[in-house]
Amino acid sequence: MTDINFKYVDNSGLIGKEEYKARLERNLPSLDRALKGEEKYKDTLGWHNVSLWAGEEWLEKYEETALRVRKDADALVVIGIGGSNQAARAVYEALGRKNDVEIIWAGNTISPYSMNEVLKSLENKKSVYVDCIAKNFETLEPGIAFRVIRNFLDKRYGDSYSSRVIVTFTENTPSWNMAEKEGYTLLPFPSNIGGRYTALSPICLFPLAVAGFDIKAMVKGAKDMESRLKSDHSILNVALEYATMRTMLKEKGKSVELLSYFEPRFFRFAKWWKQLFGESEGKEDKGLLPMDTSYSEDLHSLGQFVQDGSPMLFETFLNVTERESTCPLPSDELEDGFKYLDGKDFWEINKAAFNATLAAHSRRFPCLVLEIPRFDEETYGALFYFFQMACYVSCNITGVNPFDQNGVEDYKKDMFKLLGK
Amino acid sequence: MTDINFKYVDNSGLIGKEEYKARLERNLPSLDRALKGEEKYKDTLGWHNVSLWAGEEWLEKYEETALRVRKDADALVVIGIGGSNQAARAVYEALGRKNDVEIIWAGNTISPYSMNEVLKSLENKKSVYVDCIAKNFETLEPGIAFRVIRNFLDKRYGDSYSSRVIVTFTENTPSWNMAEKEGYTLLPFPSNIGGRYTALSPICLFPLAVAGFDIKAMVKGAKDMESRLKSDHSILNVALEYATMRTMLKEKGKSVELLSYFEPRFFRFAKWWKQLFGESEGKEDKGLLPMDTSYSEDLHSLGQFVQDGSPMLFETFLNVTERESTCPLPSDELEDGFKYLDGKDFWEINKAAFNATLAAHSRRFPCLVLEIPRFDEETYGALFYFFQMACYVSCNITGVNPFDQNGVEDYKKDMFKLLGK
């Protein structure tokens, strides 16, 4: 079982233990409502019970469809933006290639240069498939990318191109019907989940299955986390601990939460996390601004600001505890000034850098640490579910709707006017 | 000549035109001191006169050394962290490959996984060279990466390996002498420039020359910008305009500056920019927190926060004005719902998205726009010099030293203790 542990290290004295404990108690009703799932949010709680979109029958369907693609493809173009690609990409870019199918990400920008780069990368591919993912296929980015990729497939494969197209659309919408008519393979975009909560659904699981990831393990990690969280209505619930500490810090004047990590391959996960919290909490002039730093690189950059700049932020560290990779430092006769590291491994040195950073930063502000065991599918499943629930709890504490995102619409109105829609 | 234009769009009413003009006048002495270069900073102003480290003789030397490498190499490992790799990487990743030499970035992390990925990527390379860049070769990350790469080269090429090593170190330091003894090729790390201001020096120019970039054009862009800025001590100086507006916004309660762009390939440039401003201004409990968003992707993520969340930020847009890339939207018989875009090009649609975002966001807070003509070396040279000078002016206005970074040392003390140094 994948465990996520929470701790906080505070040598700044900002938050006292008693104060924290009292607040945990006070937040129990917010936890309770989130764990049960509130009636008023019922149309968006499709993620709450992992089995709903990732039960055994569903997994078989995703695997079966994936198997057909995997057998023949060397490239899968995943068209999607925001919640439609972040989770899958987080896993894909962290865990490394599992088979010969390369995923190529498209539909997440309007840059002509980027679109052309996608087309260029397809030139040397022998067998290209596409998965077009959109809850609402009126979204411009996936819409125009899908046209370009259809055009590419049509030119290369002729009329049979449609056997290479999978769409993940909301069922029984005009675009779903159009896709059905064209003979595309159809997967359902869960109608009762908003984009940023779809990590345990075909949005993320299908492309990962094509690329050879163990989606059963991922779902197991999520289900175990679901059980663990739902069975604990006490102040020891780890989602409550994390949500309580971060909302307390916001009240104490911290306005930015930095997600920090010492493994650069967490980068895409951090993008997923930033969307989850930024879109869920960033409304009604509220919310912590979510930002990330990739250490040790960014210690040589934003590290200065974190340590000495405006005291507006606190930090949440993702820390992987089990040694999973090794790179021994070769010994060397050269007088290079690094003899003090002889016999050490990058792993140990990296951990020393983490512990030193934690020590230094926690003298300035409270540091939160989420410990996870390793980089694998099961852990990612647990992480996705954990943060989704913790976000729900956080929003219950601060009093915003975790599942809407009306602010996203503003620029769209201006844009559609400019484009004559 | 590469021009950078500054404008601001404010429909929020936060900053009045008269108030802005008065402040520009008041900041003229800060501009003046920066344009002249202050005696107290003389040990760190090596970047101020571009010719000092990028004059014709220097360029010939960098080119000559680069030519030797370029003729033989198919990979150049650039070892460097922070200011030692951000500028080169910003150009390399934005302008695309120019020749057959791939740059592989190392020494910017302690992750064993990342180090092993670098080694893996070298397996299929035929002829590998390395450029190890460090102002102070006591820095741990380049130190340990250099050991691993030396070990790799030694195993593959034997004693002749040293002809494949270039180091960019501070002259006449112990590491410089060690490198000389080993027979490495030596390039000087400018002793009178701090890492984050080294874009127009061998730190950035040499690796780019190896990879086939036109470093003369880059230096021309920087020199033209230097002339333009230094010849204008008026309130129309573009560095003063940008510095004044951003520091005024800080005074009005904005605490985060978002660098936003609609071309994802600005991503690495944004990392360089974040270091420049974060490290220069983030001290004495001061400074704007520098952050970036890559649109339109992040409109489907942080866009919600920007529009509706805590009103703590303002935005600076990088906008490329000359059409440089094209991707026409193919017409399609399918009823896909995007007929209203028929005949349009991604370029136009992307510009509509930019203009719509500017309109929507500027109703909430003042938006700054920096217009640049195109993606090329000359423009990047101008951008680097522009921001370096604007940062100096900004720090003069807020009253912090733009060139030190004492906060970076705190975690290092803890780390060296843990590692027994």
Side-chain angles (χ1 to χ4, degrees):
Chain A
M1 167 152 174
T2 299
D3 241 0
I4 295 181
N5 292 315
F6 172 81
K7 60 180 189 179
Y8 78 96
V9 185
D10 180 15
N11 299 310
S12 74
L14 189 66
I15 291 190
K17 280 201 191 310
E18 286 309 308
E19 187 189 3
Y20 173 51
K21 208 186 143 201
R23 187 60 67 91
L24 285 168
E25 301 276 1
R26 217 175 88 192
N27 286 341
L28 279 174
S30 295
L31 172 69
D32 214 45
R33 285 188 285 130
L35 293 183
K36 282 178 185 147
E38 290 155 282
E39 180 64 19
K40 64 179 170 183
Y41 297 138
K42 69 175 192 307
D43 294 342
T44 50
L45 286 176
W47 58 273
H48 201 272
N49 175 352
V50 175
S51 293
L52 204 58
W53 292 97
E56 272 177 37
E57 277 176 46
W58 278 123
L59 284 186
E60 259 171 52
K61 184 177 166 63
Y62 309 151
E63 277 288 9
E64 190 187 296
T65 314
L67 185 65
R68 178 173 67 82
V69 178
R70 201 160 62 209
K71 271 184 173 164
D72 183 46
D74 60 353
L76 175 70
V77 181
V78 172
I79 295 178
I81 193 162
S84 295
N85 79 6
Q86 311 264 37
R89 202 165 178 182
V91 175
Y92 181 80
E93 295 191 5
L95 303 191
R97 290 284 292 277
K98 301 289 181 186
N99 63 19
D100 292 334
V101 186
E102 184 182 354
I103 297 187
I104 291 164
W105 309 92
N108 56 342
T109 165
I110 319 174
S111 157
Y113 180 85
S114 300
M115 190 73 245
N116 287 327
E117 288 290 300
V118 167
L119 291 173
K120 227 190 272 177
S121 71
L122 295 178
E123 275 168 21
N124 299 318
K125 296 294 181 186
K126 290 192 193 86
S127 178
V128 178
Y129 282 70
V130 61
D131 179 19
C132 183
I133 306 171
K135 186 174 179 73
N136 173 353
F137 194 58
E138 288 179 18
T139 304
L140 192 146
E141 292 87 343
I144 60 178
F146 192 35
R147 268 217 190 170
V148 171
I149 298 297
R150 280 204 307 275
N151 184 57
F152 165 86
L153 292 174
D154 190 40
K155 277 193 179 146
R156 188 186 283 187
Y157 303 106
D159 281 349
S160 75
Y161 95 95
S162 61
S163 68
R164 295 173 174 275
V165 179
I166 298 96
V167 299
T168 309
F169 287 166
T170 305
E171 286 176 282
N172 304 319
T173 54
S175 24
W176 175 274
N177 299 335
M178 172 270 285
E180 201 159 32
K181 218 171 102 188
E182 285 299 302
Y184 300 158
T185 302
L186 298 147
L187 288 173
F189 195 117
S191 57
N192 56 355
I193 315 185
R196 60 187 178 276
Y197 288 87
T198 55
L200 287 314
S201 85
I203 311 312
C204 170
L205 296 173
F206 171 71
L208 287 181
V210 173
F213 290 87
D214 185 348
I215 62 171
K216 280 189 185 152
M218 199 172 137
V219 170
K220 180 186 179 304
K223 279 188 177 170
D224 286 350
M225 181 54 66
E226 180 185 345
S227 305
R228 179 183 165 192
L229 294 178
K230 287 188 175 172
S231 65
D232 185 355
H233 289 248
S234 82
I235 62 167
L236 296 176
N237 184 296
V238 66
L240 176 68
E241 289 183 302
Y242 172 59
T244 296
M245 186 53 83
R246 58 192 298 286
T247 48
M248 280 180 85
L249 286 164
K250 169 88 173 120
E251 279 174 38
K252 302 235 175 203
K254 301 297 177 190
S255 44
V256 177
E257 179 176 2
L258 262 193
L259 189 73
S260 299
Y261 42 87
F262 280 76
E263 283 290 345
R265 54 186 167 141
F266 270 128
F267 168 71
R268 286 281 164 198
F269 182 81
K271 284 208 79 155
W272 174 84
W273 174 88
K274 286 190 284 189
Q275 179 182 4
L276 178 67
F277 281 91
E279 246 182 13
S280 299
E281 292 188 322
K283 51 195 70 156
E284 300 171 27
D285 283 5
K286 287 182 185 171
L288 282 159
L289 179 65
M291 189 172 164
D292 70 311
T293 42
S294 178
Y295 293 151
S296 66
E297 183 168 44
D298 289 342
L299 288 172
H300 298 257
S301 157
L302 289 166
Q304 167 67 36
F305 190 100
V306 175
Q307 191 72 54
D308 263 358
S310 173
M312 63 198 286
L313 51 80
F314 72 92
E315 217 161 7
T316 297
F317 289 93
L318 284 179
N319 183 34
V320 179
T321 53
E322 288 175 19
R323 180 166 179 149
E324 47 90 53
S325 187
T326 178
C327 181
L329 189 67
S331 61
D332 200 311
E333 286 163 20
L334 217 60
E335 285 298 331
D336 65 355
F338 294 96
K339 292 280 173 221
Y340 71 100
L341 295 174
D342 275 352
K344 290 205 161 60
D345 191 284
F346 274 56
W347 175 266
E348 292 168 71
I349 304 171
N350 206 23
K351 282 297 166 208
F354 162 65
N355 287 316
T357 305
L358 187 60
H361 291 185
S362 66
R363 289 194 289 269
R364 186 160 161 80
F365 48 74
C367 291
L368 284 50
V369 182
L370 290 165
E371 288 178 342
I372 60 172
R374 66 194 83 80
F375 279 100
D376 64 7
E377 289 92 335
E378 197 179 323
T379 302
Y380 271 81
L383 271 174
F384 288 132
Y385 193 87
F386 166 75
F387 276 117
Q388 290 179 182
M389 186 60 87
C391 185
Y392 186 4
V393 179
S394 280
C395 291
N396 275 354
I397 293 172
T398 57
V400 295
N401 181 332
F403 305 115
D404 65 1
Q405 60 281 330
N406 299 321
V408 171
E409 302 307 316
D410 287 35
Y411 85 94
K412 286 188 190 168
K413 286 177 209 145
D414 290 273
M415 182 173 69
F416 289 139
K417 210 190 297 172
L418 286 172
L419 290 170
K421 191 188 178 186
Chain B
M1 168 153 171
T2 300
D3 242 359
I4 294 180
N5 292 315
F6 172 82
K7 61 180 189 178
Y8 77 97
V9 184
D10 180 14
N11 299 310
S12 74
L14 189 66
I15 291 191
K17 278 199 192 311
E18 287 308 308
E19 187 189 3
Y20 173 50
K21 207 184 144 205
R23 187 59 67 92
L24 285 169
E25 302 275 4
R26 216 176 88 191
N27 285 342
L28 280 175
S30 295
L31 172 69
D32 214 46
R33 287 187 285 132
L35 294 183
K36 283 178 184 146
E38 290 156 282
E39 179 64 19
K40 64 178 170 183
Y41 297 138
K42 69 173 191 311
D43 294 341
T44 50
L45 287 175
W47 59 272
H48 201 272
N49 175 352
V50 175
S51 293
L52 204 59
W53 292 98
E56 273 177 38
E57 278 177 45
W58 277 124
L59 284 186
E60 261 171 52
K61 184 178 166 61
Y62 309 151
E63 278 287 10
E64 192 188 295
T65 313
L67 185 65
R68 178 173 67 81
V69 178
R70 200 159 62 210
K71 271 183 173 164
D72 183 46
D74 60 354
L76 175 71
V77 181
V78 172
I79 294 177
I81 192 162
S84 296
N85 78 6
Q86 311 263 36
R89 201 165 179 181
V91 175
Y92 181 80
E93 295 191 4
L95 303 190
R97 289 284 292 278
K98 300 290 179 183
N99 63 19
D100 292 334
V101 186
E102 184 182 353
I103 298 187
I104 291 163
W105 310 92
N108 56 342
T109 164
I110 319 177
S111 157
Y113 180 86
S114 300
M115 189 74 246
N116 288 326
E117 289 290 299
V118 167
L119 291 173
K120 228 190 271 177
S121 71
L122 296 178
E123 275 168 20
N124 299 319
K125 295 297 179 182
K126 290 192 192 88
S127 177
V128 178
Y129 281 71
V130 60
D131 179 17
C132 182
I133 307 172
K135 187 176 179 71
N136 173 354
F137 193 58
E138 288 179 19
T139 303
L140 192 146
E141 291 86 343
I144 60 178
F146 191 35
R147 269 216 188 171
V148 171
I149 298 297
R150 279 204 310 274
N151 183 58
F152 165 87
L153 293 175
D154 190 41
K155 277 192 178 145
R156 188 185 288 187
Y157 303 106
D159 282 350
S160 75
Y161 94 96
S162 61
S163 68
R164 295 172 173 276
V165 179
I166 299 97
V167 298
T168 309
F169 287 166
T170 305
E171 285 176 280
N172 304 318
T173 53
S175 25
W176 175 274
N177 299 335
M178 172 270 285
E180 201 160 32
K181 218 172 101 189
E182 285 298 302
Y184 300 157
T185 302
L186 297 147
L187 289 172
F189 196 116
S191 56
N192 57 356
I193 315 184
R196 61 189 177 275
Y197 288 86
T198 55
L200 286 315
S201 84
I203 312 311
C204 170
L205 297 173
F206 171 70
L208 288 180
V210 173
F213 290 87
D214 186 348
I215 62 171
K216 279 187 185 153
M218 198 172 139
V219 170
K220 181 186 179 303
K223 280 187 175 170
D224 286 350
M225 182 52 66
E226 180 185 345
S227 305
R228 179 183 166 194
L229 294 178
K230 286 187 175 172
S231 65
D232 186 354
H233 290 248
S234 83
I235 61 167
L236 297 176
N237 184 295
V238 67
L240 175 68
E241 289 183 302
Y242 172 59
T244 295
M245 187 52 84
R246 60 193 296 286
T247 50
M248 280 180 84
L249 286 164
K250 167 88 175 124
E251 279 173 38
K252 302 233 176 205
K254 301 297 180 190
S255 44
V256 177
E257 179 176 3
L258 261 192
L259 189 73
S260 299
Y261 42 87
F262 280 75
E263 284 290 345
R265 54 188 168 141
F266 271 128
F267 167 71
R268 286 280 165 196
F269 181 80
K271 282 210 80 158
W272 174 84
W273 174 88
K274 286 190 283 189
Q275 179 183 4
L276 178 67
F277 282 90
E279 245 180 13
S280 300
E281 292 188 323
K283 50 194 70 155
E284 301 171 27
D285 283 4
K286 287 182 184 172
L288 283 159
L289 179 65
M291 190 172 163
D292 70 311
T293 42
S294 178
Y295 293 151
S296 63
E297 182 168 44
D298 289 341
L299 288 172
H300 298 257
S301 155
L302 289 165
Q304 167 67 37
F305 189 100
V306 174
Q307 191 72 53
D308 264 356
S310 172
M312 63 195 287
L313 51 82
F314 72 92
E315 217 161 8
T316 297
F317 289 93
L318 284 179
N319 183 34
V320 180
T321 53
E322 290 175 18
R323 180 165 177 150
E324 46 89 53
S325 187
T326 178
C327 180
L329 189 67
S331 61
D332 200 310
E333 287 165 18
L334 214 61
E335 286 297 333
D336 64 356
F338 295 95
K339 292 278 173 224
Y340 71 101
L341 296 174
D342 273 353
K344 291 206 161 59
D345 190 284
F346 274 55
W347 174 267
E348 292 168 73
I349 303 171
N350 205 23
K351 283 295 168 212
F354 162 65
N355 287 315
T357 305
L358 186 61
H361 291 187
S362 66
R363 290 194 289 270
R364 185 159 162 82
F365 48 73
C367 291
L368 285 50
V369 183
L370 289 165
E371 290 178 341
I372 60 172
R374 68 193 81 80
F375 278 100
D376 64 7
E377 289 92 335
E378 198 178 323
T379 302
Y380 270 82
L383 271 174
F384 288 133
Y385 194 87
F386 165 75
F387 276 117
Q388 291 179 181
M389 186 61 89
C391 186
Y392 186 3
V393 178
S394 280
C395 290
N396 275 353
I397 294 171
T398 56
V400 294
N401 181 331
F403 305 115
D404 65 1
Q405 59 281 329
N406 299 322
V408 171
E409 302 307 316
D410 287 34
Y411 85 94
K412 285 189 191 170
K413 285 177 211 147
D414 290 274
M415 183 173 68
F416 289 141
K417 210 192 294 175
L418 286 173
L419 291 170
K421 190 187 178 187

